[in-house]
Structure formats: C-alpha cells, structure tokens
Amino acid sequence: MLAEGVRFRLWAPNSNFVALKIYDLDLVVPMGKLARGWYEVEVDAARAGMRYRFVLDDGAEVPDPATRFQPEDVDGPSEIIDPLAFGWTDIGWRGHEWEELVLYELHIGTFTQEGTFRAAMDKLDHLVELGVTAIEIMPIADFPGRWNWGYDGAQLFAPDSSYGRPEDLKALVDLAHAKGLSVFLDVVYNHFGPKGNYLAVYAPLTTEHYETPWGSAVNFDDAGSTMVREFFLPMPATGSMNSISTGYGSTRCTKSATPASATCCRNWPSRSAPPPMAGTCISWSKTKRTRRAGLSAATMARPGSITGSGATTSTTGSMSR
C-alpha cells in the first residue's frame, strides 16, 4: 500500500510479459520489467477491497502468489488488503514464559459449529477456565474447497475464506491476548496443495532433485532458488510477526501491523532480557529448536516484501505487492 494507491510486484522470471488486471476499475495495465525477473506497476486508483489478478504472456490470469485474501477461493481473484487497517489493542502483550505454556491445539473449521474465526472467539473463555494458556491453530493457509485439515495450502499468506477474513483472524488473536492466551499458528513449508498455487507456472518454485509424498519438492537449493528461499525466509531487522519452527513443521505466533519500534519477539522467553538480535530471535529447548522472526509494520506495508520461516511453509509478507 502506498500513501495514494498500491504498488504491485510479481516475480515471474519464466514469463516475458506480465500485466495487472483490476476488476473493480475495469483496468488492464502492463507491468514494467525489472531486474532478476521482477515486474512492477503502481496504480493510484487502487484501493483496499478491490480484486485483481496478474495476466501472463500466454493470457493466463493468475492470483497473487502472496495474496492476503482470496474471497472466491484459490483460483479466484485476490483482494487488496491494507495490513495496517486493523486496530490492535494488545500493544502491552508480552506472552508467557515457556514453562507456563499449556497448549490447546484447535482446528478452526471443527472447533465450533460455525467453523469460523469469529465463532472461535466466543469459546476462548472455556479454554481459559480449562487452564489453557496458549492456543495452537492448525494450518489455515488458503486451500481449495470448503473443508480441509490445512495441509493442502495453496496461498500461504492468506487465511482460508471459509474461516473468515484476515481482520477476523486478527480479532481472534487480539481477543486471545486480552484473555491471557498466547497464539501459535501451524504452517506447512515443504509442499503446496495439489490445486490453486500458480507460482510454478512462471517461476522455478519446485525441483525434481528430491521427492516428497505430496509431489515435487520446493526448490530451496536448485537453479533459481535464491528468490524462492526469500519467499519463505524472514526479512531481517524487523519486528512483531513472531514464528516458531519445530522439528515437524513451523508454528507462527500471529501478530501484525504494530509499530516498527515494537519488540521483535513478543513471546521471547525472557521478560528481562531483550532478544539476541533486532528481527531474528533464536532459542533452544531440550525437545525442539525454536526460531522467532519479526515482521514490522513498515515491512508489512512495503510492496514486494517477502517473509516466512521454517522447514514446512507459510508466509505473511507479500511477494508481489
């Protein structure tokens, strides 16, 4: 998001031409070609809530690979989301010491009859009364269809629309913190679901050097992998979107759009000592390696920012805006 309008960016090294299509403006505009396979265009009239796709050189229309919201499911147009619009009330939240954590793993779709973020908010008091101090939300990255355990994620930056909108997820996190609950988010970083991720059409997303039970492996070390790694790795020296990587996968402690001056790791184990680095906080436990990485409001708003972490995948920045 810009002060006036939106800057759109797409990494498409395998495409000779890319245009931006904004449906609300009935606009198709060619994107300028930059170095290293990037395409970019600024649209002053673009606003939050508008829907768009990218148009490739063969005429194919594809959603944003780092879309923040897919209101019409994985194959539909992406919606422009202003990451700074939500009014957080938990600036003083500092989380729990590790030894205080009592995790309750929940699946948004089955935790309540409605299966939504908003409905889950109404059940938080039950968890507090139970003695829970942290909720661990199973993967919510946008998947095809209405029902899924979360391991077929296709749009890793976007919460699935069947659960609600991005601001609904933020409201859940905000309320959980108000009730003294830490929030962790399971994410999947080693594969994409079988439908809805188009990044491999125009970029070297996967490699045939390795095999997985879910198809081609993500290209972390083959030709063209530098930018792919940056899609998953955290931006340095930024603050407030915390993530934790475990041996099984990765867990992200959701928090976004707070002032850049906010502490890097809101759940850093020590309340008295600061994180070892501004932006990347690393700690070890007996059972698992934990890595925390921050994402500031400035980075969240900066077009083209790329972030994520861990071994099995999700993302929260924007590879294209």
Side-chain angles (χ1 to χ4, degrees), residues 5-277:
V6 179
R7 179 184 298 135
F8 299 85
R9 301 187 75 203
L10 180 71
W11 183 59
N14 296 345
S15 188
N16 295 317
F17 170 86
V18 178
L20 171 70
K21 184 174 184 177
I22 302 181
Y23 296 88
D24 304 75
L25 299 176
D26 194 22
L27 174 71
V28 178
V29 56
M31 301 179 70
K33 190 171 185 178
L34 306 178
R36 299 189 301 166
W38 283 93
Y39 291 83
E40 179 181 303
V41 68
E42 294 182 8
V43 180
D44 293 343
R47 297 289 185 272
M50 292 183 177
R51 299 181 184 184
Y52 66 98
R53 280 193 181 102
F54 296 110
V55 184
L56 305 180
D57 50 8
D58 63 356
E61 298 183 8
V62 297
D64 186 337
T67 171
R68 295 179 187 272
F69 189 52
Q70 291 292 114
E72 300 177 34
D73 212 351
V74 293
D75 296 317
S78 303
E79 180 177 324
I80 299 172
I81 298 294
D82 182 356
L84 305 182
F86 184 79
W88 293 97
T89 65
D90 64 346
I91 301 303
W93 172 254
R94 289 296 179 268
H96 293 281
E97 303 286 351
W98 291 115
E99 62 269 20
E100 298 172 351
L101 291 180
V102 178
L103 285 165
Y104 183 98
E105 186 177 38
L106 64 89
H107 181 275
I108 292 296
T110 59
F111 184 57
T112 64
Q113 185 174 357
E114 297 85 354
T116 65
F117 298 125
R118 291 286 177 177
M121 294 169 63
D122 295 334
K123 300 294 185 181
L124 294 182
D125 285 336
H126 296 279
L127 299 182
V128 173
E129 293 173 5
L130 186 63
V132 171
T133 62
I135 56 174
E136 181 176 342
I137 302 174
M138 292 181 67
I140 58 173
D142 197 41
F143 51 79
R146 174 65 180 88
W147 311 105
N148 201 281
W149 281 113
Y151 300 100
D152 292 321
Q155 303 290 357
L156 303 178
F157 290 82
D160 193 81
S161 58
S162 65
Y163 299 151
R165 295 182 54 83
E167 55 267 29
D168 297 331
L169 172 59
K170 293 179 180 181
L172 171 60
V173 174
D174 199 51
L175 182 61
H177 288 171
K179 296 181 179 297
L181 294 168
S182 296
V183 178
F184 296 87
L185 177 62
D186 286 348
V187 296
V188 181
Y189 282 151
N190 65 349
H191 71 279
F192 288 89
K195 184 177 185 292
N197 184 279
Y198 294 87
L199 186 55
V201 174
Y202 48 85
L205 175 65
T206 61
T207 176
E208 299 299 330
H209 286 184
Y210 309 101
E211 294 182 1
T212 79
W214 307 280
S216 299
V218 176
N219 177 22
F220 290 120
D221 61 356
D222 203 351
S225 62
T226 300
M227 198 61 66
V228 175
R229 291 197 302 271
E230 290 187 11
F231 185 76
F232 297 96
L233 294 175
M235 295 290 286
T238 56
S240 91
M241 175 69 83
N242 301 334
S243 65
I244 300 171
S245 303
T246 68
Y248 173 74
S250 296
T251 304
R252 178 172 297 277
C253 183
T254 55
K255 184 73 178 76
S256 62
T258 58
S261 60
T263 183
C264 162
C265 296
R266 291 187 171 274
N267 282 344
W268 182 246
S270 173
R271 292 193 177 99
S272 59
M277 295 176 61

